[in-house]
Amino acid sequence: MKKKHLMICNMALLAMMPIVTANAIMLECSHGEAFCGMENTIWTWLHIISSTLLLGLTIWHIHLNWNRLKTWVQRFKTHHSIETKSTVISFLLTILTGIIAIAFWMTHGHTGVGGIHGKLGLFAVACMAYHILQRRAWYARRFRKQL
């Protein structure tokens, strides 16, 4: 059952990543202006919602791989891969700056805090893309079993 859940989770993560990434790049490039006739507020809310879904899937992914929350910190400390550690740290920084950016955005409108969050987020996306590429053999095996 765990393998099935991991496959579902990973496929959902693969589906959400391009959506969140495209929306993030669009927000970075629009600098608070409307895009395709839609106000920046709508795009920002879509980013908040899709990013929250991505966060939930990421937590599920970590739970499926590293079990209970209590073991996550210990597993992180003893993990040998710099790539995984960079992915985790950049993702946590992106979440933290995202929460701060939401607070600023809701009280002051478009500010530079979102830009800092965006740059960290793009670095996190690069780390996650590398994380996925490192595991492409896992995906290939799973797809072959499905066919």
Side-chain angles (χ1 to χ4, degrees):
M1 186 60 102
K2 183 178 174 180
K3 285 182 182 182
K4 182 179 179 181
H5 286 164
L6 189 59
M7 183 64 166
I8 292 167
C9 178
N10 287 349
M11 290 300 127
L13 279 167
L14 284 176
M16 284 302 297
M17 276 298 297
I19 294 167
V20 173
T21 303
N23 185 250
I25 291 169
M26 187 278 307
L27 286 171
E28 273 292 303
C29 294
S30 70
H31 301 288
E33 299 298 320
F35 181 76
C36 290
M38 289 173 55
E39 289 296 318
N40 183 265
T41 305
I42 295 169
W43 291 109
T44 302
W45 277 113
L46 288 172
H47 183 67
I48 292 168
I49 292 166
S50 61
S51 296
T52 302
L53 289 171
L54 183 69
L55 173 60
L57 288 168
T58 303
I59 290 169
W60 186 29
H61 174 80
I62 295 167
H63 172 70
L64 289 169
N65 283 289
W66 286 1
N67 301 316
R68 296 185 321 255
L69 181 63
K70 289 180 181 180
T71 63
W72 292 7
V73 174
Q74 187 59 33
R75 293 283 305 264
F76 176 78
K77 284 181 185 177
T78 60
H79 204 282
H80 64 279
S81 170
I82 297 297
E83 163 260 319
T84 298
K85 288 184 174 188
S86 298
T87 302
V88 171
I89 291 168
S90 65
F91 194 65
L92 290 174
L93 285 172
T94 302
I95 293 165
L96 177 64
T97 58
I99 292 167
I100 294 168
I102 290 170
F104 271 86
W105 177 70
M106 293 183 92
T107 57
H108 302 299
H110 184 73
T111 64
V113 177
I116 294 167
H117 163 71
K119 273 54 167 197
L120 284 169
L122 291 175
F123 178 71
V125 165
C127 289
M128 286 181 248
Y130 185 73
H131 181 79
I132 293 164
L133 285 173
Q134 292 294 99
R135 286 142 183 87
R136 64 186 175 273
W138 183 90
Y139 287 101
R141 282 192 307 272
R142 294 299 175 266
F143 279 125
R144 273 187 245 125
K145 284 184 180 180
Q146 296 294 325
L147 299 176

